[in-house]
Amino acid sequence: MVQKLKIGFIALFLAICLVPSLVLAVTGVTGDSSENRELASWPSLEGEEGWNLEFFSDLGAWFDDHFAFREELVAAYGMITGKVFGTSAQENVIVGTNGWLYYMDSLSDYQGSDLMTERQLFDAAHTLAMIQTYAEENGVDFIFTIAPNKASLYGENMPYYYSYFREEENNLTHFLTWLESEEVNYVDLYEVFEAQDEVLYHARDSHWNNKGAALAADTLLTALGQEHRSYENADYVVRTDYSGDLDAMVYPAALTLEDEIYYDPEPQFTYVNEVESNYDAKIYTQSDGTGSLVMYRDSFCNALLPFLAESFENAYFSRGVPYQLATDLYACEATTLIIERAERFLPELAQNPPVMAGLLVLDGSADGLDFTESITDFEQSETGAYTMFSGVLEEGSYAVDSQIYIRINDYLIYEAFPVSFDDETEGFVLYVPTAVLNEDANRIEMGIS
């Protein structure tokens, strides 16, 4: 009898495990997904050089993403690990206390670990200073801002064991010193949010709520001197209909809806292009506001966008990297440029200089430098109307705040963007209008201040 019960139990267990596969095979129904990632596609039998030797591996990846009841099973597993054991089933999410979720990518900022080097901090800050100079030379107002990580503002619900290794200083605190040194027009949203008595981020999402977005927009527009509607005392309704991005990662079929604030009337503007959501890569808007905005942004601008769009007659919001600065400012006839980056993305500012003509040096600041044609890993390539020059600096050849100058054909001197490459070497990137170069050979030299 005992043996029969064991066999029956095993058979039942196997039958349950096979249900998703049987449903998929019989009905063709796959598990829909609300996860914030791209699911594996159906593999091809053919590869670049004949048969696809990875077909069965790719097929397994497709099945892992599409088997029936996938979201329900993922949610069940997430609820067991999160609500019973207090840990996350999703490696990108931290399960905190009181129902709070945090993005794992922000952990190093919260703890003050994995710090940027002083040279990387300089690279990022000086690049922003060069962008600011370019904008101002073209009659465009410029500000830069950082959207604080949720854990940086509201870390009281982080798991206690992460606080044991927390340092007071992190990339943000170090970067602020460099922004001040480089005289970048910076708007400190961390200071503004920290001064508020109420929580303005979602508990189960990595971003601010609509009230937080309205506060951020008011702060940015005030700093710019841009006429705008203030939402500080505006009427609003609260609806429990918001599903968080972190919640969808861990509990895709068992979402916990949160309160969201909706202003009445809502921001007044229209989309010019076809838009699926405010997360789209390129968004154009029009309104009864004044001026023309170009904004380089990330996902924090999803909620921020309506409040800014309302204030400018024309606005262009881009998630593209590198920033196509020269093209966008000209095409949009920009009067204002805003760059917004989430705190966790600060290291990327040192790695991705914008596409724009390098700053031509006419003030004699490069006089007296020793220029040399010896540039490590030198590369040259054409991109649109520009020729891009890049190279690596020899270790020990530069100081923390050294600026890099490129002399072309003995008379044109440009300042290049300082760049930290993925392999942790330091170098430069410079875009020069191809029209100023010789059609055949060009003499390229580098000087370091």
Side-chain angles (χ1 to χ4, degrees):
M1 183 66 181
V2 174
Q3 185 68 17
K4 289 182 179 181
L5 286 174
K6 288 182 179 180
I7 294 174
F9 178 79
I10 293 173
L12 178 62
F13 176 77
L14 292 175
I16 294 173
C17 292
L18 287 172
V19 166
S21 299
L22 290 173
V23 171
L24 178 59
V26 174
T27 68
V29 175
T30 63
D32 294 330
S33 178
S34 60
E35 295 177 76
N36 187 22
R37 67 183 183 90
E38 185 176 348
L39 302 184
S41 57
W42 180 261
S44 173
L45 285 170
E46 296 183 2
E48 294 182 359
E49 300 179 359
W51 294 105
N52 179 12
L53 300 180
E54 302 295 326
F55 175 80
F56 290 104
S57 175
D58 294 341
L59 182 63
W62 177 86
F63 177 80
D64 287 345
D65 280 355
H66 294 276
F67 62 80
F69 310 121
R70 181 182 187 277
E71 289 206 345
E72 289 77 4
L73 294 171
V74 170
Y77 179 61
M79 293 185 72
I80 292 172
T81 57
K83 299 184 183 300
V84 177
F85 298 105
T87 59
S88 177
Q90 173 44 262
E91 63 180 8
N92 293 323
V93 179
I94 297 172
V95 174
T97 58
N98 299 315
W100 276 59
L101 302 174
Y102 296 89
Y103 201 34
M104 179 63 78
D105 279 5
S106 66
L107 180 60
S108 60
D109 292 316
Y110 174 75
Q111 293 184 318
S113 61
D114 195 21
L115 296 176
M116 297 169 66
T117 67
E118 290 298 303
R119 179 63 185 180
Q120 290 169 338
L121 292 165
F122 167 78
D123 290 345
H126 192 65
T127 291
L128 289 169
M130 293 174 68
I131 292 173
Q132 178 172 294
T133 297
Y134 180 85
E136 292 175 347
E137 287 179 350
N138 286 276
V140 178
D141 295 329
F142 170 78
I143 57 171
F144 168 69
T145 193
I146 297 170
N149 294 335
K150 185 168 75 171
S152 298
L153 287 170
Y154 310 111
E156 59 270 19
N157 287 304
M158 283 283 283
Y160 69 91
Y161 42 84
Y162 286 131
S163 63
Y164 289 155
F165 306 99
R166 191 179 186 190
E167 302 291 339
E168 290 187 4
E169 296 189 345
N170 57 17
N171 282 334
L172 178 58
T173 57
H174 291 170
F175 193 45
L176 295 184
T177 301
W178 280 103
L179 290 175
E180 183 178 359
S181 175
E182 290 293 316
E183 299 182 349
V184 174
N185 295 334
Y186 172 65
V187 177
D188 193 341
L189 292 180
Y190 179 88
E191 184 178 58
V192 171
F193 275 78
E194 193 178 39
Q196 305 304 306
D197 293 330
E198 61 183 313
V199 173
L200 297 175
Y201 278 50
H202 290 290
R204 306 180 74 76
D205 190 276
S206 52
H207 306 93
W208 46 44
N209 60 23
N210 281 342
K211 193 169 187 178
L215 173 64
D218 182 66
T219 303
L220 297 176
L221 294 168
T222 300
L224 287 165
Q226 177 75 16
E227 184 178 349
H228 65 284
R229 170 190 171 194
S230 174
Y231 286 82
E232 183 177 2
N233 299 310
D235 294 331
Y236 63 82
V237 296
V238 178
R239 296 199 290 267
T240 308
D241 62 357
Y242 187 85
S243 59
D245 58 352
L246 302 178
D247 202 25
M249 291 183 188
V250 185
Y251 313 110
L255 299 176
T256 301
L257 297 181
E258 296 185 68
D259 289 347
E260 181 57 287
I261 288 171
Y262 297 91
Y263 289 97
D264 184 20
E266 63 185 6
Q268 301 298 299
F269 71 97
T270 57
Y271 294 104
V272 175
N273 59 319
E274 187 174 338
V275 174
E276 290 188 8
S277 76
N278 282 357
Y279 195 69
D280 284 8
K282 296 180 178 181
I283 297 177
Y284 295 87
T285 65
Q286 288 182 339
S287 78
D288 292 332
T290 59
S292 179
L293 169 69
V294 169
M295 182 173 187
Y296 298 114
R297 42 68 66 115
D298 50 42
S299 57
F300 271 91
C301 193
N302 294 359
L304 183 63
L305 185 150
F307 303 100
L308 296 177
E310 179 183 55
S311 301
F312 291 90
E313 182 179 4
N314 300 287
Y316 169 57
F317 302 88
S318 172
R319 292 197 300 110
V321 175
Y323 307 144
Q324 303 297 313
L325 198 66
T327 302
D328 294 339
L329 294 188
Y330 175 78
C332 297
E333 299 181 354
T335 58
T336 302
L337 170 64
I338 300 176
I339 295 179
E340 172 270 319
R341 294 300 284 168
E343 180 184 347
R344 64 178 181 270
F345 292 144
L346 290 183
E348 295 181 9
L349 288 171
Q351 301 169 343
N352 299 293
V355 179
M356 63 174 231
L359 300 179
L360 193 59
V361 179
L362 301 172
D363 60 359
S365 58
D367 291 350
L369 294 182
D370 292 327
F371 284 90
T372 176
E373 291 184 273
S374 176
I375 305 174
T376 305
D377 295 334
F378 178 74
E379 294 184 8
Q380 176 179 337
S381 61
E382 287 193 27
T383 171
Y386 297 102
T387 295
M388 185 187 78
F389 300 100
S390 66
V392 175
L393 304 180
E394 293 184 4
E395 190 172 349
S397 67
Y398 58 91
V400 167
D401 58 351
S402 288
Q403 295 171 226
I404 304 158
Y405 298 91
I406 302 298
R407 185 166 65 185
I408 301 175
N409 298 328
D410 298 323
Y411 71 96
L412 287 175
I413 299 178
Y414 292 90
E415 183 177 0
F417 286 106
V419 175
S420 296
F421 295 116
D422 290 338
D423 60 1
E424 298 184 355
T425 58
E426 289 289 330
F428 68 89
V429 169
L430 171 67
Y431 293 94
V432 176
T434 302
V436 307
L437 300 174
N438 298 329
E439 291 186 4
D440 45 13
N442 291 278
R443 180 180 171 86
I444 310 298
E445 301 170 286
M446 177 180 67
I448 304 175
S449 66

